[in-house]
Amino acid sequence: GAVVSQHPSWVICKSGTSVKIECRSLDFQATTMFWYRQFPKQSLMLMATSNEGSKATYEQGVEKDKFLINHASLTLSTLTVTSAHPEDSSFYICSARGDRDEAFFGQGTRLTVV
Amino acid sequence: SQKIEQNSEALNIQEGKTATLTCNYTNYSPAYLQWYRQDPGRGPVFLLLIRENEKEKRKERLKVTFDTTLKQSLFHITASQPADSATYLCALEGTGGFKTIFGAGTRLFVKA
């Protein structure tokens, strides 16, 4: 199967700082990338969808100025959590889709804001 | 509203038996359905994709059925092993403006 690499796998940051999470498709070109947030024992909540070279489409209730998404190339998308607060602590996961229907996920990033 | 349901209770089975997990949906018109495995603290791993015009799909010990009349998919793991213990997620991918939605997952425990 296709490989999607997400980095870092975990990060602890101070309240008020920004954190950048990277998502790379290693062996295919990802025309579309998705960013999710997952709370314990709950389903994945889609935050935004991004297509290479265009602005991300955010889901209702997701602040685009707080969660900055950049999809500058066909193999890389980044999510930046700006001015992070403890309530932003969560598990963030990206997925990528190329020319096939299947979406492949990264390993996830555990963000803890203290 | 669109809804996807998986059995929230954990499924406990004995090694060697067949595990059957259920995914039901309402108010959704799926083009296809995907099953994923998720281990604690990790991202989901793609297992199988089945399209709306397919009744059944197999991959090694895995089998998925898709009944668009019942609005249900069943996921089977035959000859289950302790290493199959994980949370299994189903996800619907729609057409006509329907976005991908995920179920909350069913936790499977396979006892040796």
Side-chain angles (χ1 to χ4, degrees):
Chain A
V3 179
V4 175
S5 176
Q6 188 173 339
H7 178 81
S9 55
W10 61 270
V11 58
I12 301 173
C13 70
K14 291 184 178 181
S15 186
T17 62
S18 295
V19 173
K20 180 184 282 188
I21 302 169
E22 289 189 352
C23 181
R24 293 180 184 273
S25 57
L26 299 185
D27 52 1
F28 69 103
Q29 293 186 325
T31 51
T32 307
M33 285 190 171
F34 307 88
W35 287 95
Y36 294 88
R37 185 172 179 175
Q38 187 178 33
F39 293 102
K41 298 185 180 181
Q42 293 189 24
S43 64
L44 281 73
M45 292 174 48
L46 180 65
M47 299 174 65
T49 302
S50 73
N51 293 296
E52 185 264 339
S54 61
K55 289 185 178 180
T57 301
Y58 289 81
E59 295 300 301
Q60 192 173 7
V62 178
E63 299 177 57
K64 60 181 178 181
D65 293 332
K66 180 166 186 64
F67 298 100
L68 300 179
I69 292 172
N70 184 285
H71 192 168
S73 77
L74 284 172
T75 60
L76 174 64
S77 176
T78 60
L79 167 68
T80 302
V81 183
T82 62
S83 187
H85 288 95
E87 57 265 30
D88 297 324
S89 299
S90 190
F91 191 55
Y92 293 87
I93 316 173
C94 70
S95 74
R97 175 179 293 153
D99 56 2
R100 295 166 58 181
D101 292 326
E102 297 91 334
F104 298 93
F105 284 82
Q107 306 94 317
T109 298
R110 171 70 58 192
L111 170 63
T112 303
V113 185
V114 298
Chain B
S1 61
Q2 300 155 14
K3 200 172 180 182
I4 183 168
E5 289 184 342
Q6 294 185 255
N7 194 339
S8 59
E9 294 183 11
L11 178 63
N12 292 280
I13 63 168
Q14 199 66 36
E15 181 178 12
K17 300 293 185 181
T18 296
T20 299
L21 287 71
T22 305
C23 177
N24 294 296
Y25 61 93
T26 55
N27 298 321
Y28 200 93
S29 180
Y32 53 88
L33 184 148
Q34 302 179 78
W35 282 90
Y36 290 86
R37 168 185 173 140
Q38 187 175 26
D39 291 286
R42 306 300 301 271
V45 174
F46 172 78
L47 295 175
L48 280 168
L49 179 150
I50 186 165
R51 302 185 187 282
E52 60 171 342
N53 60 349
E54 297 176 316
K55 296 292 184 185
E56 183 179 297
K57 205 78 163 292
R58 292 176 184 261
K59 180 182 177 182
E60 298 173 350
R61 294 185 294 113
L62 309 180
K63 185 179 84 171
V64 171
T65 62
F66 195 11
D67 189 326
T68 54
T69 302
L70 292 178
K71 297 186 185 300
Q72 181 183 78
S73 175
L74 299 179
F75 177 78
H76 306 273
I77 305 175
T78 59
S80 60
Q81 304 166 0
D84 295 326
S85 299
T87 296
Y88 291 86
L89 308 172
C90 68
L92 289 174
E93 186 78 24
T95 58
F98 287 94
K99 297 181 178 179
T100 305
I101 55 173
F102 280 82
T106 298
R107 189 83 170 90
L108 172 67
F109 292 97
V110 181
K111 302 176 187 177

